[in-house]
Amino acid sequence: MSSPAEGAERFLASAGFDRGPWLAVAFAGGIAAWFVLARPWQWSAALGVALLVAIAAQALWRGRDDRANLRLAATSLAIVFAVGIATIWLRSETVGAEPLDYPRVERIEARVLERIEQPAEGRVRVVLAYRDAEAGMARKVRVNVPLAADRDGLAEGAVVRLRTRLMPPSPPMLPGAYDFARAAWFQGLAATGSLIGEVEIVEAAPADEGGIARVQRTLAAHVRGQLSGSAGTIAAAFASGDRGSISDADEEAMRDSGLTHLLSISGLHVSAVIAAAYFLAIKLLALWPWLTLRVRLPVLAAAIGAGAGIGYTLLTGAEVPTVRSCIGALLVLIALALGREPLSLRMVAVAAMAVLLMWPESLVGPSFQMSFAAVLAIVALHTSAPVKAFLAPREESWLARVGRRAAMLLAMGFVIEIALMPIVMFHFHRAGLYGALANMIAIPLVTFVSMPAIALALALDLAEAGAPAWWVAGKSLDLLLGIAHFTASQPGSVKLAPQMSLGTIALFVGGGLWLALWRGRARLLGFAPAALATMLLVATPVPDMLISGDGRHVGIAGKGDRLLMLRDTRSGFTRDNLLELAALEDEPVPIEEWPSARCSRDFCTLALERGGRRWALLMARSRDMVEERALAAACDRADIVVADRFLPRSCHPRWLRADRRLLEQTGGLSLYLDEPRIAAVADTQGEHGWWRGEER
């Protein structure tokens, strides 16, 4: 081991091993390993192996100065990796909520824990806590209440009585789809449901309950009252974090144009609030000579900015991106007050560790990944030697200086877009291609016009003089939405892709971290895994068939640019999942309208040419009983049979029988007929608490 160890030691010394960022990476790696590994014995084994690595490093290289960097790296990273596994395992055991065993209709008396207004969806969501007498335990559930059934007094702290239809949190509909069951597990939700009938207020909410939430709703309502239409809904999101009123069309346009990050209160918004508070404080306090001579104004202004940032974070809901941004901004303020370099990888690492210690499960969500990927890309770009040289002060005209700054802004937009694209495609199976150009206009517009105008308008409203500022805010937000809709409507503005594998996204993330965290030429090695991941992404096959976990919905891709659907559905969620995972954009076609399909009231048959052979499909459309002998004969002629009910054991297709018996174990399926291969939701679930199926 002498030669490899010597080479590793030289590399660590030359490439600039900074423990802070890599410790955050190791902690995140431990959390990720817990999610990827399937069973408790594997989690224990990974934890034990990490600790053995730390012990071995100390035993092998103790007292050897020529192995100091290697010993330090191996020991610290292995221990922190093990701590990451232990942290998420403990978090899962302590906050995870056992889901309901089956759907049910119940009349419950519950206390309102949270009220979430979603007028764009025509509903109010309430999170309730009640005692399940049958199970002998308290449960936390989330219920959708139509706006027509909303009542005065339905607020935090109230006790209500209602009849509701409750469902266990849904697992992913298909492999690669959103896993709501996992999110609900860490939120402590045992079920979700909808109201049946009306809500009865048993006990009104105490006057002192829901303080911040109540202020948030009041502020959002005030903003929407001052600005009507889409501009008012966006302004309410900026002022209070309330996105419930934003229409689906505006949400979709912001997403496809690469501007959806502006709707989530994160670094841009928190930084703007803190920077404005800091700037105003230091300018106004400087007008007081007595204070200027006795107090360090940067320190006092930093404290005022920190207070503004913390208040804004609490007011807007303290979501993960907001907390991360607030922590990062506070570290920047501390650095400025101490005269240190404010923009550093260590600052990002501290913020990441703080968020992961509080919410380790956020690592696997797109919010955390996109937020930190963007910040890491910005810091790595600005701390690189070429960029520092490009931005260094010099004697030049104001036009040249503005040009350099504009070029840097555009370059930063492209770098962020490249850094975020793999993450967006992994989670959402789509990526906006013109986001860098749209952000080049939208970010300065929001930072220097929209948010200051909203803040000024709210301040002037205290004297009922905010109308001019509201007019400016409205026009700027109309322009923002215009940019979003124009960008999203351009040909080729969105690239759809099939589900990326875990290996591919791991290569992208590993390459990006290598590029960002090392110094010198060594960092260029990060392009190798990123290039390999790009090739794997291009070669990722599109599934030929998609079968939902309940067997009701089947999508068949590869018929031109259209997706064939077994059942027509009004559910936008179902249709969007099938289209995105098939990497298709056009409206789906009901299978009975396809010329080569043959459909009766109970079954449809279709033949596909894949992988050099002909595949015969038989798919059930109803749950009506059919003559068993005829069904068995039809199964014998089919390669694949799909049904949303139990099929008799006499049904023996040549390759796959995806009936309720199988789908309850596997969840949704993706079929790749060229190989042939089956991917199931159960393949990525293991024995984690939120999964109720069985591994194959």
Side-chain angles (χ1 to χ4, degrees):
M1 293 180 61
S2 176
S3 180
E6 184 178 345
E9 178 70 23
R10 286 199 306 268
F11 175 81
L12 291 173
S14 62
F17 175 66
D18 189 345
R19 277 180 298 168
W22 283 111
L23 288 176
V25 171
F27 188 71
I31 296 171
W34 184 86
F35 280 103
V36 172
L37 297 176
R39 297 176 176 85
W41 73 263
Q42 295 173 336
W43 309 335
S44 300
L47 198 153
V49 168
L51 294 178
L52 286 176
V53 168
I55 295 170
Q58 288 295 316
L60 285 173
W61 301 309
R62 173 179 287 181
R64 295 192 57 176
D65 293 338
D66 60 338
R67 298 288 186 270
N69 287 322
L70 186 57
R71 182 180 70 250
L72 179 62
T75 304
S76 59
L77 295 181
I79 291 174
V80 173
F81 180 86
V83 172
I85 296 176
T87 300
I88 183 61
W89 195 349
L90 179 63
R91 172 78 171 170
S92 176
E93 293 296 325
T94 53
V95 306
E98 193 74 17
L100 292 183
D101 293 330
Y102 55 88
R104 62 183 70 170
V105 173
E106 286 193 356
R107 181 174 291 279
I108 62 174
E109 184 172 306
R111 184 172 295 275
V112 180
L113 302 180
E114 185 180 4
R115 174 188 169 99
I116 308 165
E117 297 190 353
Q118 296 181 320
E121 303 291 336
R123 68 191 181 198
V124 173
R125 276 182 168 169
V126 288
V127 179
L128 307 173
Y130 76 100
R131 182 157 188 83
D132 187 338
E134 180 180 337
M137 59 186 297
R139 294 194 187 275
K140 180 180 174 183
V141 299
R142 192 183 70 192
V143 177
N144 293 331
V145 177
L147 289 180
D150 190 16
R151 298 282 304 277
D152 291 337
L154 186 60
E156 290 86 351
V159 177
V160 297
R161 190 178 295 125
L162 68 160
R163 188 164 178 257
T164 179
R165 182 183 294 106
L166 295 175
M167 299 280 293
S170 302
M173 176 183 170
L174 297 160
Y178 174 62
D179 194 344
F180 176 67
R182 183 179 67 195
W185 173 266
F186 287 104
Q187 293 171 17
L189 293 175
T192 61
S194 55
L195 175 70
I196 301 175
E198 297 183 354
V199 179
E200 178 186 350
I201 306 295
V202 177
E203 181 182 321
D208 57 348
E209 284 284 340
I212 291 180
R214 188 170 295 176
V215 172
Q216 184 183 31
R217 289 195 295 269
T218 302
L219 179 59
H222 174 78
V223 172
R224 289 194 296 268
Q226 300 299 315
L227 276 180
S228 60
S230 295
T233 64
I234 304 295
F238 288 169
S240 67
D242 180 3
R243 296 173 55 174
S245 300
I246 301 175
S247 68
D248 290 342
D250 290 337
E251 283 264 17
E252 185 175 341
M254 295 290 284
R255 179 193 64 191
D256 291 345
S257 61
L259 302 178
T260 192
H261 65 94
L262 296 176
L263 301 180
S264 176
I265 304 301
S266 56
L268 175 69
H269 311 79
V270 175
S271 299
V273 169
I274 292 178
Y278 180 90
F279 177 80
L280 290 174
I282 203 166
K283 293 298 183 183
L284 293 175
L285 293 174
L287 301 176
W288 189 2
W290 182 90
L291 186 68
T292 304
L293 295 173
R294 290 167 175 80
V295 178
R296 284 190 61 198
L297 292 187
V299 175
L300 183 57
I304 294 172
I310 293 171
Y312 185 62
T313 299
L314 294 174
L315 180 62
T316 54
E319 299 292 338
V320 170
T322 321
V323 172
R324 189 274 309 159
S325 304
C326 186
I327 293 172
L330 294 180
L331 292 173
V332 169
L333 288 174
I334 293 171
L336 288 172
L338 297 177
R340 303 287 296 275
E341 173 61 42
L343 201 63
S344 70
L345 293 174
R346 289 189 177 186
M347 178 267 290
V348 181
V350 171
M353 287 291 289
V355 172
L356 291 177
L357 282 169
M358 291 186 288
W359 303 287
E361 70 276 8
S362 66
L363 176 74
V364 296
S367 176
F368 177 92
Q369 294 172 13
M370 293 173 65
S371 178
F372 276 95
V375 173
L376 193 60
I378 293 171
V379 173
L381 180 67
H382 280 80
T383 55
S384 64
V387 172
K388 283 185 174 180
F390 180 75
L391 294 178
R394 64 195 70 176
E395 290 292 335
E396 61 183 352
S397 66
W398 69 269
L399 185 60
R401 184 166 59 253
V402 170
R404 277 195 302 118
R405 298 293 177 181
M408 191 63 226
L409 184 62
L410 180 60
M412 185 173 66
F414 278 115
V415 169
I416 293 173
E417 198 72 21
I418 292 170
L420 296 185
M421 190 170 292
I423 299 171
V424 173
M425 296 185 80
F426 178 77
H427 288 284
F428 306 113
H429 319 108
R430 60 170 60 216
L433 300 182
Y434 306 138
L437 296 174
N439 276 287
M440 187 177 177
I441 303 173
I443 290 177
L445 176 67
V446 169
T447 305
F448 299 113
V449 181
S450 300
M451 290 195 64
I454 293 170
L456 179 61
L458 289 172
L460 292 176
D461 276 350
L462 297 175
E464 298 184 357
W470 284 121
W471 183 87
V472 173
K475 292 301 180 182
S476 67
L477 293 174
D478 286 338
L479 178 57
L480 174 66
L481 288 168
I483 293 169
H485 284 277
F486 174 79
T487 305
S489 65
Q490 297 308 300
S493 61
V494 177
K495 170 65 177 175
L496 295 181
Q499 177 58 33
M500 190 188 304
S501 70
L502 282 175
T504 303
I505 189 63
L507 286 170
F508 273 122
V509 172
L513 289 172
W514 192 279
L515 280 166
L517 301 186
W518 292 117
R519 293 198 300 266
R521 291 189 175 183
R523 74 192 317 174
L524 299 180
L525 293 174
F527 283 114
L532 177 59
T534 302
M535 290 187 286
L536 292 175
L537 177 60
V538 172
T540 301
V542 175
D544 296 289
M545 287 187 66
L546 297 164
I547 304 171
S548 66
D550 58 7
R552 286 185 51 79
H553 301 287
V554 178
I556 302 171
K559 291 290 185 179
D561 294 329
R562 309 297 293 275
L563 179 75
L564 305 186
M565 285 185 62
L566 176 63
R567 286 181 171 87
D568 194 13
T569 176
R570 292 179 294 177
S571 169
F573 175 79
T574 299
R575 185 174 58 253
D576 290 347
N577 268 275
L578 290 170
L579 286 170
E580 287 177 1
L581 289 162
L584 296 173
E585 294 184 79
D586 294 336
E587 281 296 310
V589 178
I591 196 168
E592 65 267 17
E593 297 180 9
W594 195 255
S596 59
R598 296 174 55 199
C599 292
S600 67
R601 189 174 64 87
D602 297 312
F603 285 91
C604 278
T605 62
L606 181 68
L608 293 178
E609 297 288 341
R610 294 288 188 279
R613 61 168 289 188
R614 185 179 179 86
W615 296 83
L617 314 182
L618 176 65
M619 295 163 284
R621 305 181 71 196
S622 75
R623 291 193 173 188
D624 294 342
M625 299 296 292
V626 297
E627 200 271 321
E628 183 176 354
R629 184 173 299 178
L631 177 58
C635 290
D636 289 341
R637 296 190 296 269
D639 296 290
I640 300 170
V641 177
V642 181
D644 61 343
R645 55 191 169 99
F646 293 103
L647 292 176
R649 298 189 183 276
S650 58
C651 176
H652 293 293
R654 290 188 285 265
W655 190 56
L656 175 67
R657 183 181 70 187
D659 65 346
R660 186 174 176 183
R661 184 177 290 105
L662 176 71
L663 293 173
E664 283 184 348
Q665 299 175 8
T666 64
L669 301 175
S670 296
L671 309 186
Y672 301 84
L673 302 181
D674 286 338
E675 302 180 36
R677 175 171 64 90
I678 302 173
V681 168
D683 295 340
T684 59
Q685 299 296 317
E687 295 180 12
H688 295 96
W690 55 86
W691 173 244
R692 284 293 167 267
E694 300 176 9
E695 284 194 292
R696 293 180 294 163

